[in-house]
Amino acid sequence: MQNPFTLTFGKSPLEPVERPVQTKEIIDTFTAEQINQQMFIITGVRGSGKTVMMTEISQKLRENDQWIVIELNPATDLLKGLLSKLNSNKVCAGIIKSAKIDLSFFGFGVAIEGMSPITDEETAIIAILEKMKKNGKRLLITIDEVTNNEFMQVFAGSFQIFVRQDLPVFLLATGLYENIDELQNEKNLTFLYRAPKIQLKPLNNRAIMNKYKTIFKIESEQAAKMAELTKGYPFAFQVLGYLTWNHEGDYEAVIDEYEQYLSEFVYDKIWSELSQKDRIVARGIAEVDGGKIKDIRERLGMETNEFNPYRKRLIKKGILSGEMRGYVYFTLPLFDEYVIENS
């Protein structure tokens, strides 16, 4: 039997632990008869399941004839890519043809006698969206791992225009906190601050336990120990499951390998992206048992107003949890040990 777990980022695993509440929130909002929100941003640390969640939502909407779903690459000209994919889509191509929208300037189709060709991509997309609206269609655009580049800035500005013109276009994007923050701080793109952000938190511990229990046919106690090792981190759930499957269900035999996979696949990259002061604060958190902020500040020799900005940034990055007042702890499994070994 094939290993039901995967180590490939972004690939929907055979055995996922789903996030039904957040997924339903986005789908219900987008499919509501009265449109009041046309954009969601999914954020979270690497390996938190952003792409998997976006893919699941895309697939569910594709099953609805009312929806057309187009995926764009954030490293390319997004408006050009969107226009090209709209023209390539069978349903949209029919709408373009019947509406006699002349896209010959862009190399699509042929010139239409008596019609002036559209020479601006944004104008062409608006013309198509207007016809889609009349045909009762809605467009979902998905962009995975957005970054602050010129293509994304231009696209975000155009998307704002589409929304202001009450066009049936929706955006679902994923990204790391720092990339989203940098983009929304761009001049004229502050509307992104108002876009709802779904920050992916740890998976439900019982859901993970039940998955392990069912797949490996083990007792609840053993499944609970495995679930605890993952701390609800989706990538860790997949890694531990993958290695355990390859070792015939013996999870204790793969702990060292499990830790190595987390370090090499995720933690090295996360650590490299932290500032020197972030690392110092992370080290202080790792060294203080119990996670009491007062004790951590005393160890670091920091006042509250100096410590808080770093605490907040690590929380927004998805590395730290501050849900319990006066305490913080790492959300990633075995990250305490990693921090101490690498700082």
Side-chain angles (χ1 to χ4, degrees), residues 117-174:
I118 300 175
T119 58
D120 174 72
E121 286 152 347
E122 185 181 282
T123 302
I125 292 168
I126 288 173
I128 296 169
L129 290 171
E130 286 174 343
K131 296 303 179 183
M132 287 178 63
K133 184 175 182 178
K134 289 183 179 180
N135 283 270
K137 301 294 183 182
R138 293 186 178 188
L139 173 66
L140 172 66
I141 300 168
T142 64
I143 305 177
D144 194 23
E145 294 297 347
V146 301
T147 55
N148 183 25
N149 59 28
E150 185 179 353
F151 295 135
M152 193 64 216
Q153 291 169 22
V154 171
F155 174 82
S158 294
F159 184 81
Q160 189 174 10
I161 292 172
F162 302 156
V163 171
R164 283 204 303 264
Q165 295 191 15
D166 196 28
L167 296 170
V169 59
F170 300 77
L171 177 62
L172 183 59
T174 73

Side-chain angles (χ1 to χ4, degrees), residues 20 33 60 88 101 131 150 163 166 184 208 211-212 260 270 284 289 291 297 338:
E33 188 173 339
K60 287 184 182 298
S88 299
I101 300 173
K131 296 303 179 183
E150 185 179 353
V163 171
D166 196 28
Q184 66 188 13
I208 291 178
K211 280 285 184 181
Y212 282 150
Q260 182 180 349
I270 291 175
D289 292 334
R297 285 196 298 99
Y338 178 90

